[in-house]
Amino acid sequence: MKVFDASSLIHAWDNYPILQFPGLWNWIKIEAAERRIATPIVAFEEVEHKTPECGDWLKKNKLVMLPISNMISVHAVKIKKLLGIIGDSYHVNGVGENDIFIIATA
């Protein structure tokens, strides 16, 4: 299963409108229906917050939203340690906690 992050979904929504690129959105719709693509719930919440119309479209087209499981949390902690992130000391222009969970989910 392919996993999309928030940035790629928002970028697609903003730069490849459904009316101009129906093939792309039809592909996303089909892949979502067949459960071949998904997004972590934290990424979906980010999309929904920044681009509500895109969030509505994704929900309507049944994109799988993956919950953050214990195993994903364990992987996220390992990634944070590898990156040298202590506590909530994320760089303001770098990755944030949601990014770590998205990578751990993928």
Side-chain angles (χ1 to χ4, degrees):
M1 177 180 298
K2 295 173 180 76
V3 179
F4 282 91
D5 72 345
S7 299
S8 52
L9 290 167
I10 292 168
H11 180 83
W13 187 262
D14 289 345
N15 294 287
Y16 304 102
I18 293 172
L19 293 177
Q20 290 180 319
F21 297 90
L24 169 64
W25 295 98
N26 191 50
W27 177 82
I28 292 172
K29 180 178 178 178
I30 291 167
E31 294 297 296
E34 295 294 324
R35 301 180 63 85
R36 290 189 292 253
I37 61 171
T39 191
I41 189 69
V42 295
F44 174 77
E45 289 167 351
E46 194 173 323
V47 170
E48 192 173 43
H49 175 74
K50 292 181 178 179
T51 316
E53 303 84 14
C54 182
D56 290 343
W57 188 91
L58 295 170
K59 274 193 281 193
K60 177 183 167 198
N61 288 285
K62 299 177 178 57
L63 180 64
V64 175
M65 294 166 213
L66 303 168
I68 302 302
S69 67
N70 288 337
M71 184 60 77
I72 290 170
S73 293
V74 167
H75 286 298
V77 169
K78 289 178 184 177
I79 293 168
K80 279 179 71 171
K81 286 181 182 177
L82 287 170
L83 294 174
I85 299 168
I86 299 169
D88 292 332
S89 299
Y90 295 98
H91 190 279
V92 293
N93 293 324
V95 300
E97 190 162 301
N98 280 355
D99 296 310
I100 302 298
F101 282 118
I102 292 165
I103 293 165
T105 302

